[in-house]
Amino acid sequence: MMLYAIIASVACVTYIYLGILILVFGKDSSTQKSFAVLCAMLALWSFGCVGRNIVQTEQWASFFDRLYYTGSELFILAGIIFILFLSERQRVPLYRMLVLVIMLRIGIYQTANWGWNILARDFPSGPWFVSHQLLSAIESLLIPLIALVWGRKTTLHRERIQSRIIVISTIGGTIIGVLIDFLSGFKGHNPISCTIPVLWMVAVCYAIIRYGLMQFAPAYVNRELIKHMEKAVFMIDSAWNITDCNAAARSLIGQPENLRHTTPMEEVFLESKAIQRKVTALLAAGEHNFSHTGFLLASEGKTVPVVTSFSLISDSWGDRIGLLGFCLPKFDLNAFISRYHLSERQADILQHIVNGRTQLQTAEALFISLATVKTHTTSLYNRLGISSRSELYAMLRGESQEE
């Protein structure tokens, strides 16, 4: 009993530690959040196992029995949701229906579990326990099935390898877990299958470290890298979705907050199809950089003419995993400065605003105080007859359209 408790304790701590690591060091995405939930369910399952092998009183043993079977079923549900987010299949109607059916099944069994503790009382050969094991095993096989479909459809080598790792480790872990529960039960011991997913986690961790699992394209591009860039930067993944952008990019298109994680490229870049064709041609020619003059769709349906420098990002296997777009507004800044007779300092402030810098960043770049920057900014706005940065961008858009 104590040995089982120690093994389950190690498993519980491992799950909690891995979940925290993913949340702290991972990119803020739905996939990583779902993986953290998966770790939490595994920790709950293991905690129930620890309790049922330590406590002696019938009341507490019954409570930990219930907790154990709750964690065991919620772990499978969380695992299915995780693989759906990982493979970007969460919006497929069939999978959504399957998730609802599994939730209904879990609801029925957990009602029996918390109401009458039937699952524990039926262990190891009662109909409720046996059906729970069989249904849970079948449901857990949805994880490798979804991963297999994902691996067959993806064009990225690393994702094909990742899917194989998940398929093999999940099937192997499910078989081992079911056998261990039945064998331990017939020998008079409590089930301890909660420790088997540690092996599955080892496989997932290997995929994270070796193949960049859950590092959405552009892979290996840290958010902090673009956060402090002066130019507006958009990160675009292999499915032509904008996965991130910096403050300068948000200012350029008039978005006060960050874009959602999977904003389709065509919702921001009006010539996205032409850009995609250019990327395909570049890949065929073995090139990785090009420039494009076009328009961004800003807030309130307005457009911003920009010159964008694109850089293709490839992984170790030569697959395109992302695209970085560095945007600058397209207009003649010198002509604008001359037309409105701006002073040298006003022109400096204008240049930094155009580049998307905040007032604090401008102060640091020009080696002046923040108060001085605010004074010169107010002076610039008064000269132009405006009162805000958004009005300045609108004014510059008008200058570009006149050209």
Side-chain angles (χ1 to χ4, degrees), residues 73-74 77 99-116 128 139:
E73 295 196 326
L74 291 182
L77 179 62
V99 169
L100 289 175
V101 170
I102 293 171
M103 290 175 66
L104 178 62
R105 200 280 301 169
I106 290 175
I108 294 172
Y109 275 69
Q110 287 307 309
T111 300
N113 178 37
W114 284 94
W116 301 277
W128 276 93
E139 289 163 358

Side-chain angles (χ1 to χ4, degrees), residues 235-286:
M235 298 171 62
I236 303 163
D237 68 10
S238 58
W240 309 109
N241 293 315
I242 297 175
T243 59
D244 213 344
C245 62
N246 61 0
R250 295 196 298 274
S251 296
L252 191 60
I253 60 176
Q255 291 280 359
E257 299 180 356
N258 208 350
L259 296 171
R260 63 182 187 274
H261 292 298
T262 55
T263 301
M265 183 180 177
E266 60 264 22
E267 291 186 10
V268 176
F269 290 84
L270 295 186
E271 298 87 8
S272 63
K273 297 301 181 184
I275 295 171
Q276 292 173 25
R277 288 194 295 269
K278 183 67 173 178
V279 169
T280 303
L282 280 176
L283 285 172

